[in-house]
Amino acid sequence: MLADLMPTAPRVLICDDAPGFRLLTRTVLADAGFDVVGAAADWDEAVSMATDAQPDAIVLDLWLPTFDRAQVERVHAAAPGALLAVVSSLATDEAARMVAGLDGIGPVISKRDPPDAIVSALRERLMLPGAP
């Protein structure tokens, strides 16, 4: 079980161009026991931080600030062991269609969902205690 391999808090990188969303997500994840290792505001910063931090999961906004499949692939290549939790202001099914076929994509979460949806999705996919 992956949780047995993770004796410390799972390390999460937040990548979103909206400062308010970065702050909210950082707070919600930290309160839930995750170790937030950074918050990137654009694609280059996301790649750099992912390379340096090698997080367990990356909460990745698809519009950082524009959608580009190649950029999503760059982020995944920078931390190939990380779960990519996609967040978008689009409806979940629409965002899922945009990333269909890309490697490393985990849960797709709409920003329209309550903030704890990210916590639940990460716990479930990382097989952590408290997962639904």
Side-chain angles (χ1 to χ4, degrees):
M1 182 189 268
L2 187 57
D4 295 337
L5 301 173
M6 250 185 245
T8 59
R11 297 164 38 85
V12 180
L13 173 63
I14 300 165
C15 304
D16 196 294
D17 59 325
F21 186 80
R22 288 194 308 270
L23 178 61
L24 173 67
T25 304
R26 177 186 289 273
T27 302
V28 168
L29 290 174
D31 287 351
F34 290 87
D35 178 13
V36 179
V37 296
D42 61 46
W43 290 113
D44 290 336
E45 195 172 40
V47 170
S48 176
M49 288 181 160
T51 299
D52 293 344
Q54 293 300 303
D56 300 303
I58 300 172
V59 176
L60 180 66
D61 179 20
L62 284 184
W63 301 87
L64 196 58
T66 59
F67 175 68
D68 184 336
R69 289 176 67 92
Q71 297 290 7
V72 175
E73 290 172 335
R74 280 184 62 218
V75 172
H76 179 247
L83 170 71
L84 294 181
V86 172
V87 293
S88 176
S89 57
L90 301 171
T92 303
D93 58 339
E94 187 176 349
R97 281 193 300 275
M98 292 179 73
V99 294
L102 290 175
D103 288 337
I105 301 297
V108 178
I109 306 149
S110 175
K111 289 182 180 180
R112 301 172 191 178
D113 293 335
D116 63 346
I118 296 170
V119 171
S120 296
L122 290 179
R123 281 186 175 151
E124 180 180 345
R125 293 303 287 266
L126 295 173
M127 295 183 260
L128 300 173

